[in-house]
Amino acid sequence: MRRFFIYTFIGYQDRPPFGRKKILQMSSIVTYEYICRNPDICSYIKNADAAVEAQGYTEHSFAHVEKAAATVEMILSTLNYPARTIELGKIAAYLHDIGNVINRIDHAQSGAVMAFRLLDNLNMPAEEICAIISAIGNHDESTAQPLNAVSAALIIADKTDVRRSRVRNADMKSFDIHDRVNYAVEKSDLFFSADKTSLILELQIDTTIASVMEYFEIFLQRMMLCKRSAEFLGIKFRLRINGGEVI
């Protein structure tokens, strides 16, 4: 795997008798492709998903983080953010749930610390690490807050990934409300309005499995968080369910 390095002058060090010596710090341009292929990161994602599966939660593996990364890219590229900002957003999306390997509780914060260690060991510049770990540390609805474009896009990407394929429980009779609501979603699309002023989540829900009210019982806080994140990006967030505008 190829990585590129930038050598940055950071100061002098006195080393008698040879006088002052320039110190060069190596910074690497870490790419989304490299992160996806990193075997250690893949292990963290697999084990984090196994941990939440053991607790009965929906899928949080590669399908989820790759979809989140694609959604972040769609949002930020449509809004004309710089290519490197988009790349950092995709990296944050790919890493955002690794904290589940430690515990579901406070997984955003523990995941941010894990991501810091991984990226710092890859010599990523501090400014880029800050953008990524602040997004990871603020993506969970219990403590979430859009702090920058990367975090706002990640919050939306994570919270709008509602789909039937995330349900792992094969026995519908034993579904809890989370299983029912996710399984009831027959179709989910996230897209911009023609004038790019609104981001629209359009859902088709089988109301024989879960009612629209049950959807809001589970997802209202997440949808309001998407609304705040969209406003941070200077756009509106709209929700349509079964053809009707809800938010």
Side-chain angles (χ1 to χ4, degrees):
M1 287 173 278
R2 180 180 297 176
R3 282 186 285 159
F4 301 92
F5 298 92
I6 299 173
Y7 291 86
T8 306
F9 171 66
I10 61 172
Y12 291 89
Q13 182 183 46
D14 289 325
R15 297 188 61 184
F18 304 104
R20 295 192 302 171
K21 179 181 180 181
K22 287 184 179 180
I23 301 174
L24 298 178
Q25 176 175 286
M26 188 167 60
S27 298
S28 94
I29 301 176
V30 180
T31 65
Y32 173 68
E33 180 183 3
Y34 176 81
I35 292 295
C36 291
R37 293 182 179 181
N38 185 292
D40 293 338
I41 290 171
C42 289
S43 292
Y44 287 129
I45 293 173
K46 282 190 278 189
N47 282 279
D49 182 55
V52 294
E53 181 179 14
Q55 298 172 73
Y57 287 97
T58 52
E59 176 265 322
H60 284 71
S61 190
F62 296 101
H64 173 57
V65 299
E66 288 169 2
K67 180 175 174 58
T71 300
V72 166
E73 181 177 29
M74 183 274 289
I75 293 170
L76 295 180
S77 61
T78 301
L79 296 176
N80 296 316
Y81 278 87
R84 188 57 183 164
T85 300
I86 297 170
E87 191 86 354
L88 296 180
K90 292 168 67 178
I91 292 171
Y94 200 77
L95 297 175
H96 79 277
D97 271 336
I98 59 175
N100 282 308
V101 75
I102 296 174
N103 199 299
R104 179 65 182 168
I105 297 172
D106 295 331
H107 75 281
Q109 288 75 27
S110 54
V113 175
M114 291 173 65
F116 166 78
R117 183 181 184 278
L118 290 164
L119 299 174
D120 188 52
N121 284 343
L122 293 174
N123 298 306
M124 179 179 264
E127 285 298 318
E128 294 190 347
I129 294 177
C130 286
I132 291 170
I133 62 175
S134 64
I136 295 172
N138 284 276
H139 85 270
D140 187 60
E141 56 264 29
S142 60
T143 55
Q145 182 67 33
L147 303 177
N148 50 41
V150 170
S151 64
L154 174 57
I155 287 169
I156 297 170
D158 182 42
K159 304 313 171 194
T160 57
D161 186 16
V162 187
R163 50 189 163 83
R164 178 170 290 184
S165 57
R166 294 194 72 183
V167 179
R168 294 191 267 215
N169 185 356
D171 182 11
M172 288 185 66
K173 293 180 181 179
S174 65
F175 276 5
D176 62 13
I177 189 171
H178 293 86
D179 290 333
R180 281 204 316 278
V181 168
N182 278 278
Y183 195 81
V185 178
E186 297 177 321
K187 185 180 180 182
S188 174
D189 287 316
L190 183 70
F191 57 92
F192 275 89
S193 59
D195 60 5
K196 299 182 182 180
T197 61
S198 296
L199 191 58
I200 303 165
L201 175 62
E202 189 164 45
L203 303 176
Q204 187 67 39
I205 295 178
D206 184 343
T207 54
T208 66
I209 299 173
S211 67
V212 174
M213 186 63 71
E214 284 180 307
Y215 177 87
F216 275 102
E217 183 180 342
I218 299 299
F219 289 107
L220 179 58
Q221 185 180 3
R222 301 179 192 185
M223 295 301 97
M224 297 310 294
L225 186 55
C226 287
K227 184 174 182 289
R228 292 208 315 271
S229 298
E231 289 170 352
F232 185 94
L233 294 170
I235 56 177
K236 294 180 179 179
F237 178 78
R238 293 158 57 189
L239 174 64
R240 295 175 185 165
I241 299 179
N242 294 352
E245 192 100 3
V246 181
I247 297 178

